Structure formats: C-alpha cells, structure tokens
C-alpha cells in the first residue's frame, strides 16, 4: 500500500510556500516512487535564497 494515493499522480495543488503563490506538483515516476516539486513565483524570496545556495560553494568549503 502506498502512503500517497494514486489519484494524486499529475495533481497540481496550490500552496507550499509562505512567501509566494507556489504550486505543488505530484508525479509518480514508477510504482512507489514519487516526485513532489514546488514551483515558486520568480520573485519569491525563498526561491531566490534556494537559487543562491545552489550557486554557492558547499558550506564545508566556506571559511
């Protein structure tokens, strides 16, 4: 039995971020393997922070 109902495959649900009008996207890639992504607005401060962290060096290399 899956914890995520099969009916959510392909669903787009509003929400997921307190700073913008994000949407949650659900996709079952194979039985039992789910992709759940959050699509933020381009102007979202949370999304900009995530992008900046991904562009920077890993924290283990920072002094």
């Amino acid at each position: 039995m899956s914890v995520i109902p099969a009916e959510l495959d392909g669903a787009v649900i509003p929400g997921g971020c307190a700073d913008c009008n994000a949407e949650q996207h659900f996709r079952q890639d194979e039985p039992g393997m789910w992709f759940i992504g959050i699509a933020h607005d381009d102007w979202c401060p949370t999304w900009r922070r995530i992008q900046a962290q991904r562009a920077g060096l890993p924290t283990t290399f920072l002094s």
Side-chain angles (χ1 to χ4, degrees):
M1 179 175 146
S2 177
V3 191
I4 301 173
E7 296 80 26
L8 282 179
D9 191 12
V12 177
I13 299 172
C17 179
D19 293 324
C20 73
N21 299 312
E23 295 177 333
Q24 300 173 63
H25 296 253
F26 291 78
R27 182 181 75 230
Q28 186 171 201
D29 288 341
E30 59 184 73
M33 296 295 291
W34 286 84
F35 167 83
I36 302 172
I38 298 178
H40 295 267
D41 292 321
D42 290 336
W43 53 264
C44 176
T46 298
W47 177 235
R48 289 182 182 215
R49 188 169 49 255
I50 291 167
Q51 288 178 309
Q53 288 172 344
R54 290 178 179 172
L57 290 173
T59 56
T60 54
F61 294 109
L62 298 177
S63 51

